[in-house]
């Protein structure tokens, strides 16, 4: 494993510490210390639901595990654990790449109040700048007082330029100016903030379609990704609420923030199926480098880590 991979793995492991040592440690314990029978499956289902996996997804995973154990003649808890890890990975896949093909590539960040949109934008700017991209930010949250000042501070920290306007200005106009300026100056990316309100479906649709039109008008070469930010602490609740909005909003992907702050990180597992959208990034802290590209493999391995080797010997010795 290269240094970069090792660093990424450590970051996701640290970010998922509460989830791994909480409910998922219970799941590992159940799997490795019980016989594979109906009681085990019932226990497992209950624990997955407690870990905020969501009832539909928990039932599906346990059914799939039951089939796999039967078909592949799995005998030990460790084999069942490996099978569950793989089922969880598949549940969250595929996670293809973001469309950043445009010039500039525009990322619009949406979500309800306080989920972590502005912080995520700062982290994205930092991440892509580090990857060698020329990034510009757009302060499209013109609704809340001090929203653009907050983004301005982050822009300074990430050392990227920001386009902003006064409170009450038209967000589509701010984003138009940013995209136009980015195209003229040869910037690769524009990452745009929006106000935290998803409550009115019609208003949201109108506003987002206006923003989408203004992106294309500002630069026909631009591509657009709309990232819906969800707070992992509110887990399944947030996902249910998002369900009815994400299509209306034309979201193309999800960012799950605050995974570091909850033992219920299991909510991530069902998102792809429930919202029909891939998870693109996960937030694992408040600092500017606390954002990770989402990887289904890393995530499933961090949730259900392989058991230390000596367990294997103990098991065969029994
Ligand atoms: N622990 C932790 N905190 C986070 C993470 N992401 C954001 N936060 C915190 O969540 C709070 C809200 O973040 P903001 O970025 O202001 O959220 P927002 O969605 O822009 O909020 P509004 O603009 O008011 O709608 C801040 O205190 C952030 O530091 C994360 O991944 N982990
Ligand atoms: Mg904000």
């Amino acid at each position: 494993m290269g240094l970069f991979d090792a660093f990424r793995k450590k970051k996701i492991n640290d970010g998922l510490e509460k989830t791994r040592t909480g409910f998922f440690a219970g799941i590992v314990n159940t799997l490795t210390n019980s016989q594979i029978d109906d009681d085990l499956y019932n226990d497992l289902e209950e624990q997955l639901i407690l870990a905020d996996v969501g009832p539909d997804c928990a039932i599906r995973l346990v059914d799939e595990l039951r089939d796999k154990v039967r078909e592949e003649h799995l005998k030990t808890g460790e084999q069942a654990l490996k099978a569950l890890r793989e089922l969880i990975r598949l549940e969250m896949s595929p996670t293809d790449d973001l469309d950043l093909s445009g010039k500039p590539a525009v990322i619009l960040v949406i979500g309800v109040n306080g989920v972590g949109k502005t912080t995520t934008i700062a982290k994205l700017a930092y991440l892509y700048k580090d990857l060698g991209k020329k990034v510009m930010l757009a302060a499209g949250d013109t609704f809340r007082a001090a929203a653009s000042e907050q983004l301005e501070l982050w822009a300074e920290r990430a050392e990227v330029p920001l386009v902003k306007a006064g409170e009450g200005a038209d967000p589509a106009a701010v984003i138009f100016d940013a995209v136009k300026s980015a195209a003229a100056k040869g910037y690769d990316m524009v990452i745009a903030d929006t106000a935290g309100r998803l409550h009115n479906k019609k208003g949201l649709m109108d506003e987002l379609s206006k923003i989408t039109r203004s992106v294309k008008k500002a630069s026909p070469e631009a591509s657009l990704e709309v990232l819906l930010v969800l707070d992992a602490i509110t887990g399944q609740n947030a996902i249910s609420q998002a369900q009815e909005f994400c299509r209306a909003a034309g979201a193309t992907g999800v960012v799950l923030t605050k995974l570091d702050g909850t033992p219920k990180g299991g909510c991530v597992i069902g998102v792809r199926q429930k919202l029909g959208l891939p998870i693109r990034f996960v937030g694992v802290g408040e600092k500017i480098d606390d954002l990770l590209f989402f990887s289904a493999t890393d995530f499933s391995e961090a949730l259900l880590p392989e058991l230390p080797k000596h367990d294997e010997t103990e098991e065969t010795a029994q």
Side-chain angles (χ1 to χ4, degrees):
M1 197 193 299
L3 204 59
F4 180 73
D5 283 340
F7 177 75
R8 200 188 66 232
K9 289 225 171 204
K10 179 170 176 354
K11 197 101 190 165
I12 185 122
N13 274 329
D14 290 352
L16 280 175
E17 172 89 27
K18 285 191 181 154
T19 298
R20 187 184 47 253
T21 55
F23 296 109
F24 278 84
I27 290 170
V28 172
N29 208 12
T30 302
L31 275 172
T32 48
N33 290 313
S34 320
Q35 292 203 323
I36 304 182
D37 56 16
D38 280 346
D39 282 348
L40 171 93
Y41 291 124
N42 291 338
D43 262 12
L44 201 58
E45 198 173 289
E46 207 171 294
Q47 290 187 60
L48 285 167
I49 292 171
L50 283 174
D52 213 24
V53 168
D56 299 353
C57 181
I59 292 169
R60 191 166 57 243
L61 281 172
V62 171
D63 282 349
E64 287 168 355
L65 182 66
R66 204 191 289 262
D67 290 347
K68 213 164 172 173
V69 166
R70 202 175 32 231
E71 282 159 19
E72 295 175 14
H73 309 291
L74 306 184
K75 297 275 185 304
T76 66
E78 188 165 359
Q79 289 170 330
L81 177 65
K82 193 171 167 207
L84 180 62
R85 187 186 303 123
E86 175 61 7
L87 290 170
I88 287 176
R89 188 185 69 76
L90 288 173
E91 184 78 27
M92 299 184 294
S93 304
T95 48
D96 50 350
D97 291 336
L98 277 182
D99 177 10
L100 300 178
S101 60
K103 193 79 184 168
V106 180
I107 300 181
L108 188 65
V109 177
I110 65 169
V112 296
N113 285 322
V115 286
K117 294 178 296 298
T118 305
T119 317
T120 298
I121 288 164
K123 292 169 174 177
L124 285 169
Y126 180 83
L127 190 77
Y128 281 108
K129 192 175 174 232
D130 203 40
L131 292 171
K133 301 274 188 197
K134 281 182 81 178
V135 181
M136 187 178 279
L137 299 184
D141 180 358
T142 55
F143 185 70
R144 190 168 60 80
S148 31
E149 282 80 5
Q150 186 194 355
L151 192 60
E152 194 160 34
L153 282 176
W154 279 117
E156 279 166 20
R157 256 176 261 174
E159 299 180 347
V160 297
L162 168 80
V163 172
K164 62 169 187 164
E167 200 180 318
D170 179 1
V174 179
I175 294 167
F176 177 89
D177 286 349
V179 175
K180 202 149 183 84
S181 158
K185 293 177 184 159
Y187 274 73
D188 301 305
M189 294 176 76
V190 174
I191 309 174
D193 201 2
T194 59
R197 63 202 135 96
L198 273 181
H199 298 292
N200 171 347
K201 199 167 163 180
K202 171 87 172 60
L204 174 78
M205 276 172 75
D206 290 350
E207 182 161 310
L208 289 172
S209 65
K210 193 172 171 194
I211 291 175
T212 308
R213 285 196 307 274
S214 70
V215 166
K216 284 288 169 202
K217 216 158 63 181
S219 167
E221 311 287 298
S223 56
L224 180 65
E225 285 273 355
V226 180
L227 294 184
L228 175 69
V229 180
L230 299 176
D231 174 343
I233 295 175
T234 49
Q236 285 301 321
N237 280 339
I239 297 163
S240 302
Q241 274 173 18
Q243 220 167 0
E244 66 173 296
F245 282 108
C246 63
R247 277 209 182 81
T252 54
V254 172
V255 181
L256 266 145
T257 56
K258 312 188 195 180
L259 268 174
D260 55 305
T262 174
K264 296 188 158 199
C267 67
V268 177
I269 296 171
V271 168
R272 202 188 196 303
Q273 192 89 351
K274 205 153 177 191
L275 299 183
L277 293 172
I279 300 171
R280 302 300 199 181
F281 300 94
V282 289
V284 291
E286 295 188 272
K287 294 196 301 299
I288 203 158
D289 61 347
D290 286 333
L291 188 78
L292 296 163
F293 285 106
F294 179 72
S295 145
T297 305
D298 285 355
F299 195 86
S300 52
E301 285 173 4
L303 281 182
L304 295 175
E306 282 192 28
L307 297 173
K309 277 286 171 251
H310 67 265
D311 279 8
E312 216 170 54
T313 357
E314 270 170 28
E315 206 157 2
T316 37
Q318 273 168 11

